[in-house]
Amino acid sequence: MSEYSWPSENGRFHEAGTAAEWLETVRSLPVGTPIAGEVTGRQPFGAFLSLDGHPEAVGLARVDRMPRCMELPTVGQVVTGEVVWHAEHNHQVGVALREWAEHEDLLPQFVERVGQVVTGRVTKIAPIGFFVRIADCVEGLVPLAEPAADMAMSVREGQDVSVRIVAVDLDRTRVVLAAEGVA
């Protein structure tokens, strides 16, 4: 099975219900209602859900509500969440998954730590530099520049390194780091 699929590819064909069925779905699942369902398909923009007790509607958990370090749930996984919107044209019910909503974003805590040296693990080496995880769901980039260019040649994924927090941009969810040495 590929990473992405439509519900119909997983044996979960959904044909939009009647207008009356849709109105009943919206009435019985207002925004804020807790829901449960099974993941029936995955696309780059989100995960499709069959909603328990509402076969006439399709749930959609969009990636724009997903914390940046988490992944879409897998097909067949049972999830819980809360209704956040309705789309009448395709009878979709927008869902914020509970595990996404309960995830604490640690990035704002690093604004106050600019200038500090921390230890993190190299997660990826790229042509522009290397990425270092400095906390759960918080990664920063050590851009390739002197002396980081020399260090980039000697680091490997999974290695612990010391880095200085140079800047934190909350709007763009970016952290810039400077290499301090191998831990």
Side-chain angles (χ1 to χ4, degrees), residues 96-112:
L97 297 183
R98 181 163 289 129
E99 68 179 304
W100 295 355
E102 292 174 352
H103 186 270
E104 180 185 3
D105 185 4
L106 298 178
L107 185 61
Q109 296 176 15
F110 284 87
V111 171
E112 299 168 9

Side-chain angles (χ1 to χ4, degrees), residues 62-145:
R62 294 189 342 202
V63 296
D64 62 354
R65 292 189 169 269
M66 182 174 73
R68 64 187 161 279
C69 67
M70 297 184 91
E71 295 184 14
L72 288 173
T74 58
V75 171
Q77 185 175 347
V78 174
V79 295
T80 58
E82 182 177 293
V83 174
V84 291
W85 51 261
H86 301 95
E88 183 176 358
H89 70 283
N90 55 6
H91 293 196
Q92 284 183 350
V93 176
V95 176
L97 297 183
R98 181 163 289 129
E99 68 179 304
W100 295 355
E102 292 174 352
H103 186 270
E104 180 185 3
D105 185 4
L106 298 178
L107 185 61
Q109 296 176 15
F110 284 87
V111 171
E112 299 168 9
R113 297 184 67 186
V114 169
Q116 291 183 0
V117 174
V118 297
T119 300
R121 180 153 293 159
V122 176
T123 59
K124 183 178 180 181
I125 299 171
I128 61 170
F130 58 96
F131 293 87
V132 178
R133 177 173 293 121
I134 57 175
D136 182 35
C137 288
V138 179
E139 287 189 2
L141 172 67
V142 177
L144 282 186

Side-chain angles (χ1 to χ4, degrees), residues 18-32:
T18 65
E21 289 174 322
W22 175 245
L23 289 174
E24 176 56 26
T25 297
V26 173
R27 188 195 64 69
S28 64
L29 292 176
V31 170

